């Protein structure tokens, strides 16, 4: 049934027929095929082939999430956070974000990190923020790399780590993260001197800078930053 629904949805059965696809997905879902519930949830969420119905989408996402689908866990968390199709409920949202994050969903890891960093919906927890930003950064998120650099260079914290912060900043620039570029080219003086020196050392190790390790991000450092972010001419 699920495969027949796919054929109708994609047009592989002869012609695309979203209505027929939905009917077969519904039959497959009623036959306890979790993949069908997942696909139906998406269709109701987006309004493809059916009238958009976030409440129905949330119900189906839950079925899908309970079968172990991380993407469904993430979307269910988002719906509970904003109160679309379900009541806004931070505890439920956080529960699903954690499950999705544990299932390897980088979007959930990034969101959890941001919530712990700001204290939105949870008690502010720097350690948890760092933990989840690191997980998110490993999936290639330049934004997470930048936030890690920012947190680890926090002068108000006794366990700040300018060297590791500089490494994450370098990685964020390589990932073409605009915030990182803007900060290093226009707001570097707001970062600690220790960080700026470690950043220059990192550039030296990468053979991108040969100037003094003085924490002053002058023309040589700026040129290196542009090379990292692919803006050199």
């Amino acid at each position: 049934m699920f495969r027949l629904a796919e054929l109708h949805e994609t047009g592989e059965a002869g012609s695309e027929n979203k209505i027929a696809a939905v009917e077969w997905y519904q039959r497959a879902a009623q036959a306890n095929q979790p993949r069908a519930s997942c696909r139906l949830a998406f269709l109701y969420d987006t309004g493809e082939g059916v009238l958009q119905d976030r409440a129905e989408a949330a119900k189906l996402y839950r079925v899908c999430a309970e079968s172990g689908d991380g993407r469904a866990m993430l979307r269910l968390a988002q719906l509970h956070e904003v109160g679309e199709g379900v009541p806004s409920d931070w505890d439920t949202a956080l529960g699903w974000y954690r499950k999705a994050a544990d299932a390897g969903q980088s979007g959930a890891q990034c969101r959890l990190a941001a919530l712990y960093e700001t204290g939105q919906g949870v008690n502010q927890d720097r350690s948890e923020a760092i933990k989840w930003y690191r997980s998110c950064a490993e999936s290639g998120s330049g934004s997470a790399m930048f936030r890690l650099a920012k947190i680890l260079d926090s002068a108000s914290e006794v366990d700040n780590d300018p060297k590791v912060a500089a490494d994450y900043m370098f990685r964020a620039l390589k990932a073409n993260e605009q915030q990182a570029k803007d900060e290093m080219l226009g707001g570097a003086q707001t970062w600690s001197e220790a960080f700026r020196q470690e950043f220059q050392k990192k550039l030296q190790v990468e053979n991108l800078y040969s100037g003094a390790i003085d924490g002053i991000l002058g023309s040589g450092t700026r040129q290196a930053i542009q090379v990292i972010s692919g803006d050199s001419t």
Side-chain angles (χ1 to χ4, degrees):
M1 285 184 281
F2 180 82
R3 182 56 184 152
L4 186 55
E6 284 186 315
L7 293 173
H8 280 295
E9 183 180 4
T10 61
E12 294 177 64
S15 62
E16 186 178 302
N17 189 331
K18 295 283 189 182
I19 295 175
V22 169
E23 290 176 355
W24 282 108
Y25 280 132
Q26 288 172 333
R27 293 186 187 186
Q30 289 166 1
N32 297 318
Q33 295 184 29
R35 286 192 305 166
S37 296
C38 297
R39 189 59 191 158
L40 265 180
F42 175 80
L43 295 176
Y44 276 109
D45 196 4
T46 60
E48 292 186 30
V50 291
L51 290 175
Q52 190 177 51
D53 186 337
R54 290 275 163 76
E56 185 66 16
K59 183 176 74 173
L60 291 163
Y61 276 131
R62 180 176 288 276
V63 173
C64 185
E66 288 174 347
S67 75
D69 189 287
R71 291 172 300 179
M73 296 173 191
L74 172 57
R75 186 58 182 139
L76 193 55
Q78 292 169 335
L79 291 174
H80 277 288
E81 180 181 346
V82 300
E84 290 188 5
V86 288
S88 179
D89 185 332
W90 272 107
D91 288 341
T92 301
L94 289 165
W96 285 113
Y97 275 131
R98 291 189 183 102
K99 289 180 180 180
D102 288 337
Q105 288 294 307
S106 61
Q109 294 165 349
C110 293
R111 185 60 182 146
L112 270 181
L115 294 176
Y116 278 114
E117 182 184 4
T118 61
Q120 184 180 3
V122 291
N123 291 327
Q124 195 170 30
D125 189 323
R126 182 174 183 267
S127 295
E128 281 293 298
I130 290 172
K131 168 188 166 182
W132 290 115
Y133 273 134
R134 279 184 168 147
S135 295
C136 187
E138 290 309 307
S139 72
S141 170
S143 176
M145 296 169 194
F146 172 76
R147 293 310 310 164
L148 275 168
K150 197 79 169 174
I151 293 172
L152 292 170
D153 187 49
S154 173
S156 63
E157 298 289 344
V158 295
D159 58 343
N160 69 323
D161 194 329
K163 187 175 188 300
V164 176
D167 184 63
Y168 274 116
M169 180 61 80
F170 183 86
R171 291 173 58 188
L173 288 166
K174 286 193 71 174
N176 203 27
E177 173 58 38
Q178 189 62 44
Q179 281 184 295
K181 182 179 173 182
D182 291 344
E183 284 284 301
M184 290 297 94
L185 292 178
Q189 293 306 311
T190 64
W191 295 68
S192 71
E193 182 179 9
F195 165 84
R196 285 180 272 128
Q197 290 173 334
E198 291 295 343
F199 185 68
Q200 288 175 321
K201 290 177 186 177
K202 177 67 176 177
L203 294 179
Q204 278 194 344
V205 169
E206 298 292 333
N207 296 315
L208 293 169
Y209 175 70
S210 58
I213 305 300
D214 55 10
I216 300 172
L217 303 193
S219 59
T221 312
R222 292 171 66 86
Q223 184 178 4
I225 291 168
Q226 290 173 326
V227 170
I228 300 166
S229 56
D231 288 344
S232 61
T233 56

